[in-house]
Amino acid sequence: QVQLQESGPGLVKPSETLSLTCTVSGDSITSYYYWTWIRLPPGKGLEWVGHMHHGGTIYYNPSLKSRATISVDTSSNQFSLRLNSVTATDTAIYYCARHYFDISTGRYFFFMDVWGKGTTVTVSS
Amino acid sequence: EIVMTQSPATLSVSPGERATLSCRASQSVSSNLAWYQQKPGQAPRLLIHAASTRATGTPARFSGSGSGTEFTLTISSLQSEDFAVYYCQQYYSWPPLTFGQGTRLEIK
């Protein structure tokens, strides 16, 4: 059974870079799937950050104005998020998750069927 | 960007009663809509995809309907464990993938 676990600093100073890692267990990150980052700011709704496929395809939420970088480390079965120039509005619970792949049809569907437990990141001096 | 709007923001219902949650898209998303349940301190959990297909493990009391721009999540007889926040998400047109702002289902 696939499991995802986020890790990274819980506190980041304004203007610095937020770095998070998602470790995938129970499956290979080089299998079919797209892997994604989503965040939940306090008092707000869920926001998609971006997603990647190990083959090199990456998409970001345009609202992040090119501050986000998602990368993969296949040797560690991990993928990562870096968000630079953070402000208080980047304070959130960050989740990594997996997008659904229908093996029977070979089609991707970009809802999330497996989630990590989330990690809280606070941006404050 | 497709904007998803959920209503109401908060819904108060008694256990055993029916709950109806709405989600509207700013443009058609066909049936490319998912519903998630999130309890405090937990990650979201997929309930429904393709507007009406229950995910593995989703109880039969949860049902989804709709297509195009109007969608509904119905919980036929509320159990204590159903009180949570519910989000809809469209995956028809992206980036970005977008969510509704959530409906909080609370005990009346």
Side-chain angles (χ1 to χ4, degrees):
Chain A
Q1 180 182 357
V2 61
Q3 292 184 318
L4 285 69
Q5 178 67 58
E6 305 87 351
S7 59
L11 182 64
V12 182
K13 290 182 169 54
S15 79
E16 296 190 346
T17 297
L18 176 162
S19 294
L20 297 174
T21 296
C22 180
T23 301
V24 179
S25 58
D27 194 5
S28 171
I29 204 164
T30 61
S31 62
Y32 308 106
Y33 302 99
Y34 278 76
W35 307 93
T36 195
W37 288 98
I38 291 157
R39 66 183 184 179
L40 180 65
K44 297 186 178 181
L46 294 165
E47 180 182 29
W48 175 71
V49 174
H51 65 217
M52 56 137 281
H53 187 274
H54 72 90
T57 302
I58 305 175
Y59 287 96
Y60 299 103
N61 192 324
S63 69
L64 296 172
K65 297 187 174 76
S66 303
R67 295 191 296 124
T69 301
I70 296 174
S71 59
V72 62
D73 180 350
T74 56
S75 63
S76 300
N77 220 39
Q78 297 174 331
F79 65 105
S80 298
L81 170 68
R82 288 173 58 87
L83 187 64
N84 60 34
S85 305
V86 297
T87 69
T89 58
D90 295 308
T91 294
I93 302 173
Y94 285 76
Y95 299 97
C96 59
R98 186 184 78 175
H99 285 304
Y100 180 76
F101 176 73
D102 187 334
I103 294 176
S104 63
T105 62
R107 292 184 62 191
Y108 289 98
F109 296 90
F110 290 93
F111 58 86
M112 286 64 70
D113 65 342
V114 180
W115 295 68
K117 294 182 179 180
T119 188
T120 298
V121 177
T122 301
V123 178
S124 175
S125 55
Chain B
E1 172 177 332
I2 297 179
V3 177
M4 308 300 293
T5 303
Q6 291 184 243
S7 60
T10 303
L11 182 61
S12 299
V13 183
S14 300
E17 293 190 340
R18 174 188 296 260
T20 302
L21 289 68
S22 295
C23 175
R24 174 177 292 177
S26 60
Q27 63 191 77
S28 177
V29 298
S30 187
S31 294
N32 294 282
L33 185 105
W35 288 95
Y36 302 88
Q37 176 193 66
Q38 187 171 31
K39 297 180 181 179
Q42 297 185 18
R45 169 196 167 196
L46 176 68
L47 292 176
I48 300 278
H49 61 93
S52 60
T53 301
R54 279 188 293 273
T56 302
T58 299
R61 63 181 181 274
F62 290 88
S63 62
S65 63
S67 66
T69 62
E70 299 285 342
F71 300 89
T72 301
L73 175 68
T74 302
I75 310 171
S76 59
S77 177
L78 279 164
Q79 308 297 304
S80 57
E81 62 266 29
D82 300 335
F83 293 95
V85 178
Y86 291 83
Y87 294 98
C88 61
Q89 178 230 335
Q90 69 82 20
Y91 50 97
Y92 177 75
S93 176
W94 56 271
L97 297 166
T98 51
F99 296 85
Q101 78 278 24
T103 290
R104 181 177 304 278
L105 182 56
E106 63 178 29
I107 300 174
K108 187 174 182 179

